Structure formats: C-alpha cells, structure tokens
Amino acid sequence: MKLDIKVIKENMNNNLFCGIKYFDTITSTNELALNLTRDESKEGLVILSEEQTRGRGRLNRNWYSKKEEGLWFSLILKPEKKIERLPLLTLIGALAVHSAINKLDIKTVLKWPNDILYKNKKLCGVLSQSKIKGSKLERAVVGIGINVNQKKFPDDIKKQAISLRIIKNHFIQREKLLSNILDNFAFYYSLYRTEKYNKIIKQWKEKMSMMDKVITVKNINNKLVYGKVVDISNKGELILKKQDGKIEKYIAGDVSINKNSLRF
Ligand code: BTN
C-alpha cells in the first residue's frame, strides 16, 4: 500500500517540517536532497520515496530499500551552528526514531553513532551528509531508513536485519509512524537550535547499548582501537578509555561490542 501524504500531514504537529516531496521511485533520497538547488532546498523539506534504487548507508554500503516496505526519507536542515556540531544531527535522527518505535511498544537500543537495534539486529540506520561552501554550511541532509513491513530479507542481510512487522507479527501503518518521527525530530532539533546539547546527549546515553562496555572501534584509517565507553561528548563524540588509561575521542567509526572483555 502506498503512503497517504495527507494522513502524514494531518497527524503531524510541528512548525519545522514544511513540505514533503514524495516519489514512487528514486535513486536515493539523500542524493536528491543534496542535488536540489539552493532555492528548492528549504529548511524543513522532507524527501520521501517508496523505493530507492541506489539507497546508501554509511561507508558507501548499499541500503536495501524495497518498494513500500520501509520508510526511506531525508530531512533538509540549515542550522546556524558551527560545523563541529553537525554529528549531533545523526544522533537526533536516531533519537527521534527510537522514541516513535518505543510508542509501538518495541524496546530498541541505540548503537553509536547511527543505528537502532532490536536484539542485535538492525531496524534503522541514519546517514547524515552535508553541503559545505568554504567554511559555511549550505545544508545538512539527515537520511533515515527504517525497516517497517518486510516479511523477510535477502540472504546477504537476513542475519543482521529485522523489520517492525517481523517483531510485531502484523502490518504496520507507516503514516502515523512517520508523523511521530518528524514531530520528535522537531522537538530534539529545537534543543539543538537552543544549544541544549547536554539534554540531547543525556537522552542518548540512556538509550544506548554500549555505555561502560568494552568495544572495538575501527577508526577512519581502518585501525582497530580497543577501549571502554565512558561518555559521549556534547559534540556527539564517543569517548573511550583505553587499557593504558588514556582517553580518546571519536567522531566517526565502526563500533562492535566485545563479547570477551576479560582483558580489560
Ligand atoms: C546506515 O545504517 O549505514 C545508514 C542507512 C541510511 C539509509 C537511508 S534511507 C534514506 C536515505 N537515503 C539513502 O540513500 N540513505 C538514507
């Protein structure tokens, strides 16, 4: 069943999201959002598609986006904050989805920096990208993919992926879920705009699965770093305490929780 945009708008209650550009099929909502002209790309515009033929995840991974089975959308934002605060938008995206899913009575955890997991399987991912001119941000694009009504997944991802439908064992109406996510996002974004970063981080830490756990981070140079998660900074960095007691901060990286953390 196709999305009913009228229902999404009727159920939404915020002043941020001003319009929805809806497609039946598109390469990637993030790609389109980044390629719009400056005039077309208003803050609060939502790009939404039933299907993506070239959906992308972090590290240029493929994002499985089959027709009408999920919510694949991108939010255009133009915050007047320093570029160093941009990673917080990814955290806000994940928080907004986490709260909406919680309303469906599904308990999920956040995995830094951009995943929502249910029993260690991926339900949602967030990919934030930006267009920067000189040192000024022209627009930020927060892309969100949620597995909603898939009954099964292709072999290559079936061990790692899960959908709301598989969890609940029934069809999930996507419209109200999306309205709720957009309202939640608008709420967290107002905290961001008013620089209440600590409130955002406090929420994140409560919902994340890896606080005080020993993890491995693959950093941007593909180096593996081993340490205990001690905090998240107000810029969204993961703060690790290494075995030698040194504290290190990461703004990006691929994280896995170590099953055997006896060495620490
Ligand atoms: C990840 O977990 O690696 C991030 C996945 C992000 C997927 C969404 S779907 C909508 C938007 N368009 C894309 O091409 N990617 C994001």
Side-chain angles (χ1 to χ4, degrees):
M1 220 190 334
K2 288 199 185 312
L3 283 160
D4 188 335
I5 304 301
K6 210 169 134 240
V7 176
I8 299 172
K9 288 186 175 161
E10 277 167 4
N11 281 283
M12 212 164 54
N13 185 18
N14 68 75
N15 299 322
L16 174 63
F17 293 109
C18 53
I20 299 179
K21 238 178 177 341
Y22 170 72
F23 298 85
D24 194 44
T25 182
I26 200 179
T27 51
S28 147
T29 56
N30 267 34
E31 199 176 302
L32 186 115
L34 287 166
N35 286 335
L36 288 176
T37 64
R38 194 193 285 245
D39 286 346
E40 288 168 329
S41 68
K42 300 255 176 306
E43 162 142 298
L45 181 64
V46 180
I47 314 293
L48 170 67
S49 185
E50 294 288 3
E51 176 187 52
Q52 299 184 113
T53 53
R54 208 165 53 218
R56 281 282 160 261
R58 280 173 67 234
L59 310 170
N60 210 24
R61 287 178 187 138
N62 192 35
W63 180 263
Y64 175 72
S65 330
K66 219 175 144 209
K67 203 166 214 162
E68 297 169 27
E69 292 201 336
L71 282 170
W72 328 123
F73 61 100
S74 301
L75 311 173
I76 295 180
L77 302 160
K78 302 191 169 183
E80 283 165 5
K81 297 279 166 245
K82 284 203 176 124
I83 283 167
E84 62 183 24
R85 299 283 174 188
L86 276 180
L88 287 171
L89 296 178
T90 303
L91 302 195
I92 289 177
L95 267 182
V97 178
H98 181 279
S99 310
I101 291 178
N102 199 39
K103 260 189 145 179
L104 300 176
D105 218 14
I106 298 175
K107 301 276 170 273
T108 56
V109 291
L110 299 177
K111 180 177 168 231
W112 183 89
N114 72 319
D115 287 351
I116 299 186
L117 305 181
Y118 177 85
K119 296 192 177 163
N120 249 344
K121 291 190 169 189
K122 188 146 161 172
L123 203 47
C124 164
V126 183
L127 175 68
S128 297
Q129 295 180 288
S130 53
K131 221 173 174 170
I132 295 172
K133 291 243 164 81
S135 59
K136 240 183 116 42
L137 174 79
E138 209 235 271
R139 85 188 67 143
V141 170
V142 180
I144 300 184
I146 309 167
N147 297 327
V148 183
N149 277 319
Q150 291 96 334
K151 288 190 195 156
K152 55 182 189 195
F153 288 92
D155 283 350
D156 54 332
I157 55 169
K158 70 179 181 202
K159 282 206 178 101
Q160 302 104 279
I162 194 158
S163 70
L164 297 174
R165 182 174 188 151
I166 295 174
I167 298 168
K168 293 297 263 187
N169 215 9
H170 62 71
F171 175 84
I172 306 286
Q173 201 226 42
R174 290 179 298 161
E175 285 84 350
K176 283 191 184 161
L177 177 63
L178 180 55
S179 316
N180 192 221
I181 292 168
L182 296 176
D183 284 346
N184 296 342
F185 193 99
F187 167 74
Y188 288 115
Y189 190 58
S190 71
L191 295 180
Y192 177 84
R193 276 208 286 224
T194 50
E195 301 186 359
K196 298 196 178 79
Y197 304 125
N198 52 344
K199 290 204 169 159
I200 299 169
I201 298 302
K202 184 171 177 283
Q203 291 272 326
W204 232 85
K205 288 199 289 196
E206 279 170 20
K207 293 168 174 114
M208 107 171 170
S209 55
M210 44 176 87
M211 200 50 130
D212 293 324
K213 299 237 169 76
V214 177
I215 60 152
T216 307
V217 190
K218 192 192 270 180
N219 69 16
I220 23 188
N221 307 319
N222 265 343
K223 207 181 127 211
L224 291 178
V225 186
Y226 181 73
K228 185 167 158 179
V229 178
V230 288
D231 211 349
I232 294 200
S233 78
N234 275 1
K235 290 182 192 151
E237 299 149 313
L238 187 73
I239 306 185
L240 280 193
K241 186 176 184 185
K242 299 207 304 179
Q243 262 180 309
D244 58 9
K246 276 202 190 121
I247 298 287
E248 278 187 1
K249 291 183 181 175
Y250 293 87
I251 197 59
D254 228 13
V255 166
S256 52
I257 297 181
N258 291 29
K259 293 218 170 70
N260 178 5
S261 45
L262 293 174
R263 286 200 285 141
F264 212 75

